[in-house]
Amino acid sequence: MAIVVQKYGGTSVGDVDRIKRVADRVARTHRGGNQVVVVVSAMGKTTDDLVSMASRISETPPERELDILLTSGERISMSLLAMALADRGVAAKSFTGSQAGIITDAVHGKARIIDMTPGRVQDALDQGHVVIVAGFSGVSQSTKDITTLGRGGSDTTAVALASALGAEVCEIYTDVDGVFTADPRIVPNARKLDHVSYEEMLELAAQGAKVLMVRSVEFGRNHDVRIHVRSSFSYTTGTMVGPQEDNVEDAIISGVAHDTSEAKLTVQGVPDRPGVAARLFSTLAEATINIDMIVQNIAADGRTDISFTLPRGETDKARAVLEPLTDEIGAGGILVDSDIAKVSLVGAGMKTHPGVAAKMFGALSAAGVNIEMISTSTIRVSVVVAKDQVETAVQAVHAAFGLGDDEVLAEGAR
Ligand code: ADP
Ligand code: ASP
Ligand code: MG
């Protein structure tokens, strides 16, 4: 019997009726002769609500307790879904991440999976149960405390379970029909991709296309798990994420991603001499602050400005560790700009097609969007723009590369 892993996101289990609909779909897959493992997210915005509740109790909630709190959201969905299945005559058992053998390191809030021991899941499947697993949670190997895998982490739970159980496919059910050439909420004529390679999906996800969590794609690539992203509101085929297909010429561009979760920090008047940048960035690394783009201006009078982007939630921490250092090295002040957004163009075919960056910058300029920072990889060009121009920028770049679906546009225009 084939094992199928299905993951349902927050909107898909957003209320009691939707949980019943998910139960219908799961029952159908089970009756079709498959062994089914279901991974669920917390209902609707439950996780956001729990985060906000914690922040009203304390500005710095202990990370261990925050993780226990956040995992409660997924417990609600998993038990309710088990009840809905029981009601449909389908034997189902729910397990927390810890019970399902999702073993992580001890980094609360963004734990990494280091081992999978899903013995209880396999036993329950062998007894004919549908197994439901709480997304996003695990247990630390060293401290035995409950951990969470980071926001969006249920995707990673699902792909990790699919890999450990040798599942035929990992289906990610969400509130859009698949992976599109841009976020369909911003670009109404974005086109659904039938297939996207792990490499391109990794770039899209890393640059803000939150339809899949980055780590789930990494896990899929490293363990060769096919991921089918599809809608929980229809039966249409979605997008297959897998290895680069043979004999298919790389599309030049696969999509445009955007990210509004970062801020820009500038250290002004840094002395222009060897070793100073190393000091700045090793200080940030020691504080486990993830830096994204970096730009150093041309030096004048022996001084230069260094700007970089980082997660917005980490700007206070970055300022706190950099302030003593700026005094020590004789730099000027620190400026923080929180109103930025990053727009990225991703495509494997870019490697062999010159002129992609030029065309992207031309489209932005024609739309009146100023570029504040630029960074590139072999399959990506990213720019930082003002946050209030992010939609204009995404739409302009998407249109310039002809990524849209004319039929969708025609329908929308009707
Ligand atoms: P879930 O709760 O099911 O995990 P998410 O909200 O995490 O769902 O991810 C789905 C959302 O991702 C969509 O509603 C869409 O707005 C957004 N998204 C961003 N970029 C893309 C893209 N390129 N293709 C599809 N969806 C995207
Ligand atoms: N509920 C968690 C979150 O909102 C995990 C997930 O939905 O994937 O981030
Ligand atoms: Mg998600």
Side-chain angles (χ1 to χ4, degrees):
M1 249 200 260
I3 298 182
V4 173
V5 175
Q6 301 187 330
K7 176 255 168 177
Y8 292 89
T11 315
S12 307
V13 292
D15 59 33
V16 165
D17 285 334
R18 286 187 176 170
I19 290 179
K20 288 181 183 171
R21 251 186 279 155
V22 167
D24 289 336
R25 190 187 283 258
V26 170
R28 186 169 142 158
T29 312
H30 178 68
R31 293 202 173 104
N34 299 289
Q35 291 190 314
V36 192
V37 176
V38 186
V39 173
V40 283
S41 288
M43 294 170 72
K45 300 259 171 260
T46 302
T47 311
D48 290 337
D49 294 343
L50 292 170
V51 170
S52 116
M53 210 190 295
S55 70
R56 280 185 278 133
I57 294 270
S58 158
E59 266 180 35
T60 51
E63 290 175 325
R64 177 185 185 278
E65 306 310 324
L66 187 60
D67 267 0
I68 294 188
L69 176 72
L70 297 192
T71 57
S72 64
E74 270 69 13
R75 285 188 185 218
I76 296 175
S77 334
M78 78 182 197
S79 46
L80 290 177
L81 180 59
M83 292 173 199
L85 282 163
D87 218 42
R88 283 157 181 73
V90 177
K93 261 191 188 171
S94 67
F95 295 99
T96 63
S98 165
Q99 290 173 318
I102 296 167
I103 315 295
T104 71
D105 61 19
V107 184
H108 287 291
K110 51 180 174 189
R112 290 191 84 97
I113 297 176
I114 54 177
D115 196 12
M116 294 289 295
T117 54
R120 292 186 68 187
V121 173
Q122 188 67 59
D123 288 348
L125 285 176
D126 293 343
Q127 288 159 14
H129 288 89
V130 164
V131 173
I132 305 163
V133 178
F136 163 68
S137 71
V139 60
S140 157
Q141 191 169 53
S142 54
T143 64
K144 310 295 177 214
D145 283 329
I146 299 299
T147 53
T148 61
L149 308 180
R151 298 305 305 270
S154 301
D155 296 335
T156 307
T157 305
V159 177
L161 275 170
S163 164
L165 297 167
E168 194 147 274
V169 65
C170 180
E171 296 181 323
I172 303 288
Y173 285 93
T174 185
D175 54 6
V176 286
D177 284 343
V179 180
F180 284 72
T181 49
D183 187 338
R185 295 185 201 289
I186 288 196
V187 181
N189 76 328
R191 189 169 46 82
K192 188 179 81 188
L193 301 166
D194 294 330
H195 179 272
V196 60
S197 70
Y198 292 126
E199 299 307 325
E200 288 168 306
M201 193 63 232
L202 266 179
E203 284 282 10
L204 286 169
Q207 302 311 320
K210 67 169 186 161
V211 61
L212 282 178
M213 192 205 197
V214 184
R215 281 206 196 141
S216 70
V217 187
E218 236 167 28
F219 212 101
R221 180 193 57 184
N222 295 346
H223 300 271
D224 202 20
V225 180
R226 300 292 184 280
I227 305 170
H228 184 180
V229 181
R230 56 191 308 189
S231 169
S232 65
F233 301 106
S234 78
Y235 281 89
T236 51
T237 307
T239 303
M240 286 306 301
V241 185
Q244 183 64 52
E245 285 178 332
D246 288 341
N247 306 322
V248 176
E249 210 178 312
D250 292 338
I252 300 176
I253 303 299
S254 50
V256 184
H258 70 280
D259 187 349
T260 52
S261 69
E262 293 188 347
K264 181 172 78 172
L265 191 149
T266 303
V267 185
Q268 295 172 304
V270 179
D272 189 25
R273 56 168 194 264
V276 173
R279 285 285 304 281
L280 279 179
F281 290 102
S282 53
T283 302
L284 292 162
E286 276 158 26
T288 66
I289 297 170
N290 281 326
I291 301 306
D292 184 14
M293 286 192 199
I294 302 174
V295 168
Q296 175 171 336
N297 290 341
I298 299 168
D301 306 327
R303 289 183 178 272
T304 176
D305 289 350
I306 296 182
S307 298
F308 59 87
T309 61
L310 74 172
R312 191 173 307 119
E314 310 229 294
T315 46
D316 288 345
K317 192 163 141 194
R319 197 195 272 275
V321 297
L322 288 180
E323 256 160 14
L325 187 65
T326 51
D327 291 345
E328 192 190 317
I329 60 178
I334 294 174
L335 287 180
V336 172
D337 181 357
S338 293
D339 294 320
I340 60 150
K342 186 172 58 168
V343 175
S344 305
L345 187 63
V346 173
M350 236 181 240
K351 285 181 224 168
T352 49
H353 282 79
V356 169
K359 188 167 170 180
M360 178 178 178
F361 302 160
L364 290 167
S365 125
V369 177
N370 185 43
I371 300 171
E372 296 181 22
M373 295 169 102
I374 298 170
S375 85
T376 62
S377 79
T378 46
I379 65 166
R380 169 181 60 81
V381 182
S382 300
V383 297
V384 166
V385 302
K387 196 169 165 195
D388 60 4
Q389 290 196 305
V390 64
E391 296 201 1
T392 309
V394 171
Q395 288 158 357
V397 174
H398 192 265
F401 286 87
L403 300 176
D405 187 332
D406 294 340
E407 279 173 41
V408 177
L409 185 64
E411 254 175 50
R414 241 181 271 142

